[in-house]
Amino acid sequence: MNRIACRLHRLTPPALLLALGVVLFRPAIAAGDDSPWETDPYRLGQGLYFPQQGLRVGGYADLHYYDLDDRPRSASIDDLSLIVTKDFGSRWKLLSETDLSEAAIITGRGVSTSDATLEVERLYVDYYASSAATFRFGKFLTPVGQWNLIHADPLVWTVTRPLSTAAAFATSANGAMMYGTRTLAQDDLDYTLYVDDTQAIGFAKDADSAYGSYGRAGAINPLTNEFDRAAGGQTHYHWHDDQLTIGGSFVAYELRDPRKSYRLGGLDFDWTGSDVELSGEGVYRTANAPQTPSEYGGYLQAVISLPNQLFLVGRYEHFRNSTPNVTDNISTVGLNYRGVAGLVFRIERTHASHEYSGLPSGWFASVAVLF
Amino acid sequence: MFTRLRYPRIVLLALALGAGSIDYAAEPAPSEQAQMAVIASNLDSLQKIDDGSLREIYLKRVFLNTDGRPYIPVNLPATHPLRDAFLSAVLKMNPPQMQIYWDRRYFQGVSPPYVLGSQRAVVRFVAATPGAIGYVQRCQVTPNVHVILLVSLAGVAPADTLEKCPNSAMP
């Protein structure tokens, strides 16, 4: 059965938001030439912005190409995502992200749309309570590490996603969050505290793929993650005008399937030098259940600037999986071309020592646009 | 991030030579060199600000002041030389680096500061809007706004790229 039809009930909130967007669009056009605002001309990566309405409409899309070892080649439109933000007064803001994932899979035999899935990726309101605290209610990205919070294809350096950034926890949560930034000795400290109660909140549920999907090959490891309940926090400290950021994350949670309790701790960092960026994340998860081994791993990634907006990317990841119970070592080498703002071309070769843990070996390429 | 490195050596050299030095002041001090004035409305109680707080406001990490009033930072157009100078001296970023920063923040639902078309428009808007913060050449400051921070433009904005000041040979 077509999964779009199956998930029509999820369309209501985004459809309402789109209708709201259309209504709000009209006064933006009718604002006239005497407006005091002169917005930046539209360019890729910034969305369509209507400052008088506090409205921004944008999103991202990507086309992936897979030439995996011992598997047929294929391409897929993995994400077609619409992001709408709307300010309500000076203290409230709404964000929605609606994503059509695996919109089309292209093989030598034709184009298939049977795996297309329309989902509400994020839907929340922010309330700016004070200079030190903002409250968020709804569905949001789980604050573990840095990758998960900026996981959109045009914003990351590789087509493949490190296992450490998704396999051990649900990538989104439903509940409430408090976050803010404080200044300590000229440096910034970000903090986040959140609780999830997906079990009780009926809307926008979905089980996040823990390991990603690769065109016609599909998901190598079909495991999905969905919180039943969770509580956690994250902090990031930015040194020297963001040249070095170090963060820590913690979350205690119960997954829906398998229904077990876990505790996860994580560390991450990002250092920007004159021609090099180094980053990494690591997680360690223990299960509150006998016979369930710990799951842990981490990656180190280097990006080197080359002439003509080319970037050389190298990454090594070690990941100890619990389901299946294997250890994987994954190396990735790739190139990015970022000559046009908002547009990214990438190609990479990945080798996984134990691909059945979730990530296959092979060639990956993509073009991604932030619009 | 990393694409700061398009002009890194120029920026580093400029900073090493003392470019973009910041002077906290409620009132402008006499100076022989061109200065950028960070301004607030006379309707606003904000009297001075340090460069770290200003950076947080322009990077949209802090949204409200301690009284709970929203900050409204405004930018000049992307092609304006004073905006590049502000990026370099206050935000410590260059345009490509800023682009990556806002791409990520945009994905997280945070929009960059509003853009106004000219220094005159910035002064007019700030004067009429409590909470608004803008930056203009010091000589563009009018009596209905006040200076909350002065930033030297030496080394970060060559004089011949700036607008001519009214009744003055110096930009």
Side-chain angles (χ1 to χ4, degrees):
Chain A
M1 185 188 295
N2 191 316
R3 290 162 68 187
I4 293 180
C6 284
R7 300 186 180 216
L8 272 178
H9 65 283
R10 291 185 182 161
L11 291 181
T12 307
L16 286 172
L17 286 173
L18 279 175
L20 178 67
V22 169
V23 170
L24 293 167
F25 216 80
R26 294 170 61 194
I29 294 168
D33 294 335
D34 56 349
S35 161
W37 299 107
E38 177 181 324
T39 58
D40 271 332
Y42 174 77
R43 61 174 190 264
L44 287 176
Q46 293 295 294
L48 205 52
Y49 192 27
F50 304 93
Q52 286 176 307
Q53 285 71 38
L55 176 71
R56 189 179 290 267
V57 181
Y60 68 97
D62 54 56
L63 174 66
H64 288 183
Y65 174 77
Y66 304 103
D67 186 358
L68 309 180
D69 294 356
D70 305 322
R71 289 184 171 86
R73 295 177 193 140
S74 65
S76 71
I77 298 172
D78 274 2
D79 294 291
L80 190 53
S81 181
L82 179 71
I83 300 172
V84 178
T85 59
K86 169 77 179 107
D87 296 328
F88 293 96
S90 60
R91 289 190 179 242
W92 290 92
K93 184 178 68 188
L94 180 145
L95 180 143
S96 81
E97 181 189 357
T98 309
D99 185 54
L100 182 62
S101 61
E102 297 183 66
I105 295 175
I106 304 147
T107 64
R109 296 176 184 174
V111 178
S112 166
T113 58
S114 60
D115 287 331
T117 307
L118 190 60
E119 291 177 0
V120 178
E121 285 286 311
R122 292 179 286 169
L123 181 59
Y124 59 74
V125 290
D126 275 348
Y127 174 69
Y128 301 113
S130 73
S131 60
T134 300
F135 292 94
R136 175 169 295 175
F137 307 97
K139 182 178 183 182
F140 47 81
L141 298 172
T142 307
V144 174
Q146 295 188 40
W147 192 294
N148 191 47
L149 300 176
I150 54 153
H151 67 258
D153 238 50
L155 304 181
V156 293
W157 291 106
T158 57
V159 182
T160 54
R161 178 171 177 161
L163 300 179
S164 317
T165 67
F169 57 93
T171 53
S172 59
N174 293 281
M177 170 191 284
M178 180 174 88
Y179 68 96
T181 298
R182 303 296 293 165
T183 301
L184 298 174
Q186 293 288 309
D187 295 318
D188 289 339
L189 174 73
D190 302 333
Y191 73 90
T192 304
L193 297 168
Y194 61 98
V195 291
D196 165 281
D197 196 351
T198 301
Q199 191 180 45
I201 300 171
F203 100 106
K205 284 183 181 176
D206 67 78
D208 301 318
S209 169
Y211 296 94
S213 186
Y214 304 97
R216 187 180 168 190
I220 307 301
N221 184 334
L223 195 69
T224 58
N225 283 329
E226 184 179 8
F227 287 143
D228 249 357
R229 294 192 190 89
Q234 183 180 56
T235 184
H236 280 110
Y237 196 84
H238 306 273
W239 273 277
H240 303 300
D241 303 317
D242 291 10
Q243 277 196 324
L244 174 63
T245 298
I246 294 179
S249 312
F250 173 80
V251 55
Y253 57 94
E254 195 173 285
L255 286 182
R256 170 152 302 192
D257 183 23
R259 189 179 287 274
K260 293 177 182 172
S261 297
Y262 301 91
R263 288 169 187 261
L264 180 143
L267 291 172
D268 62 85
F269 81 98
D270 184 310
W271 174 79
T272 303
S274 60
D275 287 313
V276 178
E277 180 201 272
L278 296 176
S279 59
E281 294 185 24
V283 292
Y284 191 95
R285 185 185 81 171
T286 57
N288 189 19
Q291 310 299 322
T292 304
S294 297
E295 188 161 301
Y296 56 87
Y299 75 87
L300 283 174
Q301 178 175 278
V303 182
I304 300 170
S305 176
L306 304 174
N308 302 316
Q309 298 302 305
L310 279 170
F311 299 89
L312 178 65
V313 185
R315 185 174 65 227
Y316 179 79
E317 181 175 26
H318 175 85
F319 194 77
R320 171 71 179 176
N321 216 324
S322 61
T323 313
N325 190 359
V326 295
T327 299
D328 204 354
N329 294 299
I330 304 159
S331 52
T332 302
V333 177
L335 276 177
N336 272 218
Y337 173 69
R338 294 175 179 255
V340 179
L343 199 58
V344 185
F345 296 86
R346 296 175 300 188
I347 184 167
E348 70 203 49
R349 169 73 197 181
T350 288
H351 178 265
S353 65
H354 205 303
E355 69 174 46
Y356 289 103
S357 71
L359 183 61
S361 298
W363 287 93
F364 300 77
S366 79
V367 54
V369 60
L370 193 65
F371 57 84
Chain B
M1 286 198 346
F2 163 84
T3 46
R4 71 179 62 189
L5 315 179
R6 187 181 271 184
Y7 319 104
R9 289 170 186 86
I10 297 171
V11 173
L12 286 174
L13 181 62
L15 291 172
L17 293 173
S21 63
I22 293 171
D23 176 22
Y24 311 103
E27 296 297 329
S31 172
E32 291 302 314
Q33 62 187 14
Q35 289 179 312
M36 173 163 50
V38 180
I39 55 173
S41 169
N42 286 345
L43 305 171
D44 199 312
S45 59
L46 182 64
Q47 289 303 312
K48 63 178 181 179
I49 196 167
D50 62 80
D51 58 324
S53 300
L54 186 64
R55 186 172 187 270
E56 286 185 342
I57 292 166
Y58 266 86
L59 293 180
K60 295 281 193 87
R61 288 178 175 163
V62 171
F63 300 91
L64 303 176
N65 67 18
T66 50
D67 299 329
R69 173 177 280 171
Y71 289 118
I72 308 172
V74 291
N75 251 335
L76 287 164
T79 52
H80 200 289
L82 209 57
R83 176 155 156 177
D84 279 353
F86 186 77
L87 284 183
S88 169
V90 177
L91 304 187
K92 310 288 197 301
M93 293 184 181
N94 63 27
Q97 186 184 7
M98 196 86 257
Q99 173 75 37
I100 288 185
Y101 177 83
W102 283 118
D103 282 353
R104 292 180 170 189
R105 295 290 277 164
Y106 159 59
F107 179 70
Q108 294 169 336
V110 180
S111 299
Y114 299 127
V115 174
L116 292 169
S118 65
Q119 296 187 70
R120 202 172 153 197
V122 168
V123 172
R124 276 208 316 257
F125 177 79
V126 169
T129 314
I133 296 176
Y135 54 88
V136 294
Q137 286 168 251
R138 182 181 167 195
C139 61
Q140 302 280 349
V141 174
T142 62
N144 48 0
V145 296
H146 62 275
V147 178
I148 55 174
L149 180 67
L150 281 173
V151 181
S152 168
L153 291 174
V156 292
D160 59 358
T161 66
L162 300 176
E163 291 173 31
K164 215 67 169 164
C165 285
N167 306 318
S168 169
M170 184 185 296

